[in-house]
Amino acid sequence: MNDKEPTDSCGHVFVLHCGADGIATDGVLINNDDQDSNGVVKVVESKIDSSNKIQRYEAGKSNNDVMTVIKSFLDTGAEHFQGKKSSFRRGKPLLSFDPTSFFGPDIAGDSEKKVSVFQEMIPYVYSIVDNFGVDVAICIPEEETFSIVEALRNDLCPFSGGPFWMLSEGQIANAVRLAEDAKAGRLSVFVGAGISIPSGAPSWGGLLESLAIKAGMSEDDRKSLAQLSFLDQPTILAEEMKDSFKPAIAELIAEASFYTPAHVLLKTLKAPAITTNYDDLYEAAAASSNVHVPTLPWQSREMIKSNHNERNSLLKLHGCINHPNSIILSRGDYMRYPDTSQALRGRLHGIFLTTNVLFCGFSMTDDNVHKVIDDMRKVVYEDGEPDVHKFGTILSMTENKMFNRLWDQDFHLQSFGISWADNPSWYHDCFLDYMISSCIKKA
């Protein structure tokens, strides 16, 4: 019966269309192909860098049953992370696993047996998030099985408020509206740096500090450099590092190699996507479920040749680590942007004209994006007044009445807390999960 109330510290059960091995998670269960493990889970601590760690739990296929392995992982991991902070700057620690990686041929080829495993598994996962205050991500790479688990989560959640009990009525209404836009093919997503931060990606300031160290600058020079603006510091660093400057940027960004749940949820929309991020985590999240997302401008000709649906593509406005010389970082790069990247801006104009844009993890401070939005005002406003239909939706972590005043004429606005003490990043990811769930239910 769905009549239980969650505890105050209850976590969330994510159902994600991805592989488990590449996700930014505090604990992950990996199949090590040990055929004689009998469900015994081994702990292997994997250090990513000086601040982020993933606790790896390894096991092979159990001679007993799949649930022996899954329960052992959840029990051990939840007890370990209960009451601890996430290593990935998440609202709650996250445990992730792909149950299908432990299916033998007898289960993998039998739909009824698969469903039976999921029906036993999902209530147990809910008991873990409720009792230990952690999040759990059930990662399913195969699309049809993902849809099955998504539906079962809705049916088997024990809480009276359903799987998304934590969302307000307003948040639910906005998520449903966005899901309807996505199903109708009129939604696009703008992926900002805030989506990659939980992966361990450096902030802008952190990136510049690391570059200064790589350049061999003295502590005094680094302190002087830090007094310059974020746009002027790269000019000095480029002079110091010469041809190695942009490759060094790519190398530092690539150290954050784990996609976040938000990357997975947004790519699941298969909507036109835009980003100012240099990393390739959005593409990696898609690849983990065997979906190829072409990146523009580099793969535009490939899209035409292969007849790829242009909706499922990623426009990279500020360059990419896989093409280091394309990276936009210094004031000079930004000043020359209208001359060097006019085609990209034109593509963005087209997306704004034909879809509702969902901004996620984006601070709305980029001048190039401001210019495109202002261009939209020039052609859409009637007699200087905004149209009744807005350009899209901005998701922001915390409420700011002046930010709202600045943007509410042109965008729907959704925030997730009054302050960071309200754990807004957790509600943000739950909101995205509900949006995807609503898309699937509509389908």
Side-chain angles (χ1 to χ4, degrees):
M1 292 182 64
N2 307 87
D3 57 0
K4 185 178 179 181
E5 293 302 318
T7 61
D8 291 341
S9 62
C10 183
H12 178 57
V13 177
F14 291 92
V15 177
L16 302 177
H17 185 209
C18 68
D21 200 14
I23 197 167
T25 184
D26 297 281
V28 63
L29 176 62
I30 302 297
N31 185 348
N32 62 10
D33 293 323
D34 181 358
Q35 299 299 319
D36 300 316
S37 71
N38 286 316
V40 176
V41 172
K42 303 173 184 177
V43 179
V44 182
E45 190 172 282
S46 300
K47 190 171 185 179
I48 300 170
D49 59 30
S50 59
S51 59
N52 294 316
K53 292 181 179 179
I54 291 182
Q55 187 96 340
R56 291 173 65 92
Y57 298 81
E58 297 184 352
K61 292 181 174 67
S62 170
N63 291 330
N64 300 315
D65 58 65
V66 175
M67 283 304 300
T68 302
V69 176
I70 293 173
K71 287 181 178 180
S72 178
F73 162 65
L74 292 172
D75 292 345
T76 307
E79 185 175 356
H80 176 80
F81 287 105
Q82 184 178 26
K84 293 183 178 179
K85 290 185 176 180
S86 170
S87 296
F88 287 92
R89 291 174 272 188
R90 293 182 44 77
K92 297 178 186 291
L94 178 66
L95 299 175
S96 303
F97 69 102
D98 170 12
T100 65
S101 68
F102 292 91
F103 287 177
D106 58 324
I107 298 178
D110 189 321
S111 297
E112 288 187 8
K113 286 184 178 179
K114 280 198 290 189
V115 169
S116 179
V117 171
F118 297 143
Q119 287 174 329
E120 182 181 357
M121 177 188 74
I122 290 172
Y124 195 82
V125 173
Y126 268 107
S127 72
I128 291 292
V129 300
D130 196 32
N131 293 328
F132 292 92
V134 298
D135 290 339
V136 173
I138 304 171
C139 302
I140 309 289
E142 196 272 318
E143 188 166 14
E144 184 179 350
T145 307
F146 162 71
S147 298
I148 291 171
V149 177
E150 169 66 43
L152 288 171
R153 174 180 61 172
N154 291 322
D155 293 339
L156 299 174
C157 174
F159 305 136
S160 59
F164 301 96
W165 52 268
M166 73 293 293
L167 298 179
S168 69
E169 290 184 6
Q171 290 167 347
I172 287 173
N174 275 327
V176 169
R177 173 179 56 79
L178 290 165
E180 290 173 350
D181 282 348
K183 287 301 300 174
R186 55 177 182 256
L187 186 72
S188 59
V189 294
F190 200 117
V191 183
I195 299 301
S196 292
I197 290 296
S199 71
S203 63
W204 201 337
L207 174 63
L208 294 173
E209 172 67 13
S210 295
L211 288 168
I213 293 171
K214 263 186 175 293
M217 297 180 72
S218 68
E219 186 175 351
D220 284 345
D221 284 350
R222 295 203 306 272
K223 286 180 180 178
S224 296
L225 182 72
Q227 293 176 27
L228 301 181
S229 76
F230 282 167
L231 290 178
D232 289 327
Q233 289 183 49
T235 304
I236 303 297
L237 290 166
E239 289 177 359
E240 291 282 328
M241 303 180 75
K242 298 182 172 53
D243 291 344
S244 65
F245 175 54
K246 289 192 174 180
I249 297 171
E251 182 181 328
L252 288 168
I253 296 293
E255 289 178 2
S257 58
F258 293 87
Y259 47 82
T260 67
H263 284 118
V264 177
L265 292 165
L266 291 172
K267 71 85 185 172
T268 303
L269 290 168
K270 296 182 181 178
I274 316 104
T275 188
T276 50
N277 299 347
Y278 312 134
D279 63 62
D280 59 359
L281 299 178
Y282 185 96
E283 304 96 291
S288 75
S289 56
N290 297 313
V291 174
H292 173 56
V293 176
T295 55
L296 303 177
W298 305 280
Q299 295 176 308
S300 60
R301 300 299 93 184
E302 175 194 312
M303 284 178 62
I304 295 170
K305 187 176 180 180
S306 63
N307 221 13
H308 186 95
N309 186 342
E310 68 172 305
R311 282 183 43 75
N312 192 23
S313 62
L314 177 63
L315 174 65
K316 306 196 89 165
L317 294 176
H318 288 175
C320 177
I321 60 172
N322 297 317
H323 306 273
N325 288 332
S326 68
I327 290 174
I328 305 295
L329 186 62
S330 70
R331 188 179 299 278
D333 293 333
Y334 278 91
M335 290 174 67
R336 289 187 288 271
Y337 191 86
D339 298 323
T340 61
S341 303
Q342 191 62 38
L344 305 187
R345 186 180 280 182
R347 168 72 172 170
L348 187 56
H349 278 120
I351 289 172
F352 265 95
L353 279 169
T354 57
T355 66
N356 293 322
V357 183
L358 171 62
F359 284 91
C360 300
F362 192 69
S363 62
M364 302 300 293
T365 57
D366 185 275
D367 285 346
N368 290 313
V369 176
H370 277 242
K371 178 66 169 66
V372 170
I373 293 172
D374 195 53
D375 290 342
M376 284 292 299
R377 293 182 181 120
K378 293 172 187 175
V379 298
V380 172
Y381 278 20
E382 293 281 349
D383 300 322
E385 293 297 321
D387 189 79
V388 64
H389 300 292
K390 297 183 185 289
F391 298 150
T393 301
I394 301 172
L395 304 185
S396 57
M397 291 300 171
T398 56
E399 186 77 14
N400 183 319
K401 64 181 180 181
M402 293 302 163
F403 180 90
N404 293 353
R405 183 174 169 181
L406 185 64
W407 291 109
D408 64 1
Q409 283 193 115
D410 297 319
F411 292 92
H412 299 284
L413 303 170
Q414 178 63 69
S415 60
F416 298 96
I418 302 301
S419 72
W420 283 97
D422 295 326
N423 202 3
S425 61
W426 184 70
Y427 288 93
H428 170 275
D429 284 3
C430 294
F431 175 92
L432 293 181
D433 195 10
Y434 182 63
M435 180 177 67
I436 300 302
S437 178
S438 297
C439 286
I440 294 170
K441 283 188 287 187
K442 289 287 182 182

